Amino acid sequence: MPIDATQLYDDQNIFAKILRGEIPNRTVYEDEWALAFHDINPQAPEHVLVIPKGAYVCWDDFSAKASEAEIAGFVRAVGHVARTMGLVEPGYRLLANTGFDAHQEVPHLHVHIFGGKPLGPMLVR
Ligand code: 5GP
């Protein structure tokens, strides 16, 4: 079920539980600002999720309320992960679904990194 991007943060969401170590994940990278892990249901040969350590529902919440340090740290982490996955030269795609129409399912901001094959043109179906 897609979530309401304007809802209050629910610390029982699955990614909050992953951040607290209550649910296992296949970690790719972790620093002060972000955690990156393999998506449980990959949609491309490389499919990693990057989430901020802070409690933000979605991109809107994060871009409006996060500190400059959180934003810089998170954006740098996304770039670092893609770089260390070797995806810069072949190319990759970022996606941050936000709210109902984008079918965001987990109410903790996550950026998808897709790569590992030619992804074709962006599709908005
Ligand atoms: P959304 O539709 O919210 O942008 O994407 C949520 C993503 O989280 C989906 O790609 C889904 O496969 C992934 N996901 C959901 N639950 C889990 C989980 O428990 N572990 C991991 N690693 N990924 C999850």
Side-chain angles (χ1 to χ4, degrees):
M1 282 288 290
I3 63 101
D4 177 354
T6 68
Q7 72 183 54
L8 291 175
Y9 188 80
D10 171 11
D11 69 4
Q12 294 307 303
N13 78 77
I14 198 104
F15 293 169
K17 291 179 179 176
I18 284 177
L19 277 174
R20 291 194 295 267
E22 295 167 13
I23 291 177
N25 72 91
R26 292 172 55 217
T27 299
V28 172
Y29 176 74
E30 181 169 15
D31 67 15
E32 180 181 357
W33 307 109
L35 176 69
F37 51 95
H38 290 281
D39 196 289
I40 204 168
N41 182 23
Q43 302 298 308
E46 303 286 359
H47 185 176
V48 163
L49 301 171
V50 191
I51 66 175
K53 292 267 174 100
Y56 299 101
V57 172
C58 65
W59 185 264
D60 179 72
D61 193 21
F62 184 70
S63 62
K65 297 182 189 154
S67 68
E68 309 292 309
E70 286 177 298
I71 292 171
F74 181 66
V75 171
R76 286 200 186 279
V78 173
H80 176 82
V81 170
R83 204 174 303 121
T84 56
M85 290 169 72
L87 294 177
V88 177
E89 192 274 329
Y92 62 94
R93 181 169 292 158
L94 301 180
L95 179 68
N97 290 321
T98 303
F100 292 120
D101 279 358
H103 214 278
Q104 179 183 356
E105 290 195 332
V106 180
H108 183 114
L109 171 61
H110 46 286
V111 169
H112 298 255
I113 301 176
F114 300 105
K117 69 169 189 179
L119 297 165
M122 186 183 76
L123 296 176
V124 180
R125 283 183 284 146

